[in-house]
Amino acid sequence: MARIDGRAADQLRPIEIIPNINRFAEGSCLIRCGNTHVLCTASVEERTPPHVPEGEGWVTAEYAMLPRANRERSKRDIAKLKLSPRSAEIQRLIGRSLRACVDLAGLGERTITVDCDVLQGDGGTRTASVTGGFVALALALWKLVQDGVLPEMPLKTCVAAVSAGIVGDELLLDLCYEEDSGAQVDLNCVMTGEGALVELQGTSEGRSFTIAEQQALVALCQKGIREIQRIQKQVLGGGRDENGISQQERP
């Protein structure tokens, strides 16, 4: 099946991550996955929510789509006086994904909030938010190290995410909007730098799918995530390790 943008079945959309896009946030980036563009900012606060154990920090996320991120204008959540169920579900996913890569005890009693604002949505906004959110988070943590607030980077690994699906009975990587809206099966996958699963969301849209198909979709996502993680590492510094730390810059 020929894809709408001419890609191979196992090919990612063009990905660009521009770091330090916001001069005020401790960490930030603009991530572009094809025509999906997400602004990610990481903000540090010297306090934690009540549920966090003493001596530990917290990483959380908020997610929103700007009114004209879609083909038609949507109302802001504030206009509805409540967070939409979709936004709430996605920001919980982003928060869980980012906490999986952080040593919360090493972070200390502070909170990092990663805001993911979709400027333009063309499928895969949640996975782009996880991928860009990690870059913003790593940059914020590195600033804390550079400023002498933290003795070392409290990152245990990196995380990235991508989608895959079954469209017209063919397995495709990194679905754009047209593919996603017509998919028989949709799957979102978040993985660590070691290839361990953090989150797996598989949904039957037009038909059920087998365990073998699920495993094939996960393998397809793993291939894409490895490519995305190479881009993340390049953005965070080619001479740095998977935690964004250069041998020359280690405390």
Side-chain angles (χ1 to χ4, degrees):
M1 183 183 72
R3 302 187 71 171
I4 189 169
D5 50 10
R7 286 182 291 145
D10 63 349
Q11 186 177 358
L12 293 168
R13 290 175 289 180
I15 296 176
E16 181 183 20
I17 302 176
I18 305 172
N20 303 313
I21 198 75
N22 184 305
R23 64 179 295 188
F24 302 112
E26 284 80 5
S28 66
C29 74
L30 173 64
I31 180 169
R32 295 172 175 154
C33 300
N35 288 321
T36 289
H37 304 166
V38 184
L39 174 65
C40 302
T41 57
S43 304
V44 180
E45 296 178 276
E46 295 296 321
R47 58 191 178 91
T48 58
H51 70 273
V52 176
E54 185 177 351
E56 293 189 6
W58 188 246
V59 177
T60 186
E62 293 191 10
Y63 168 96
M65 296 188 73
L66 295 186
R68 279 318 304 262
N70 286 316
R71 284 148 181 80
E72 297 180 357
R73 186 185 187 278
S74 59
K75 289 185 177 181
R76 299 178 190 270
D77 285 338
I78 189 64
K80 297 175 283 188
L81 301 180
K82 65 177 181 178
L83 190 65
S84 74
R86 179 179 182 273
S87 295
E89 185 265 324
I90 291 176
Q91 67 185 37
R92 286 196 294 266
L93 162 68
I94 300 167
R96 288 193 301 269
S97 299
L98 297 180
R99 284 193 294 275
C101 68
V102 178
D103 175 5
L104 296 177
L107 176 59
E109 293 184 355
R110 53 184 55 87
T111 298
I112 299 182
T113 302
V114 178
D115 288 287
C116 300
D117 292 292
V118 180
L119 308 180
Q120 184 171 283
D122 189 47
T125 61
R126 72 185 67 196
T127 53
S129 295
V130 171
T131 298
F134 170 77
V135 172
L137 172 64
L139 290 170
L141 291 172
W142 181 238
K143 186 177 189 306
L144 292 176
V145 173
Q146 288 181 311
D147 291 346
V149 177
L150 294 177
E152 60 183 4
M153 286 283 278
L155 281 178
K156 300 183 293 185
T157 185
C158 57
V159 291
V162 76
S163 70
I166 301 177
V167 183
D169 293 321
E170 185 173 2
L171 276 66
L172 303 178
L173 178 65
D174 193 13
L175 304 184
C176 66
Y177 174 79
E178 287 82 4
E179 293 169 336
D180 184 64
S181 61
Q184 298 162 297
V185 176
D186 181 32
L187 185 139
N188 297 298
C189 182
V190 184
M191 285 185 174
T192 68
E194 296 75 32
L197 287 168
V198 177
E199 190 97 12
L200 195 61
Q201 297 179 333
T203 306
S204 171
E205 301 285 357
R207 68 167 174 84
S208 58
F209 57 107
T210 66
I211 292 176
E213 287 176 323
Q214 182 204 48
Q215 292 174 338
L217 287 170
V218 172
L220 197 58
C221 287
Q222 185 176 37
K223 174 184 180 296
I225 286 173
R226 284 173 179 163
E227 296 176 27
I228 293 169
Q229 287 169 341
R230 282 195 291 270
I231 296 170
Q232 287 176 320
K233 291 176 184 179
Q234 289 171 358
V235 170
L236 291 171
R240 297 180 184 179
D241 64 16
E242 68 279 3
N243 293 334
I245 306 174
S246 166
Q247 293 297 325
Q248 291 76 26
E249 296 173 324
R250 282 184 185 276

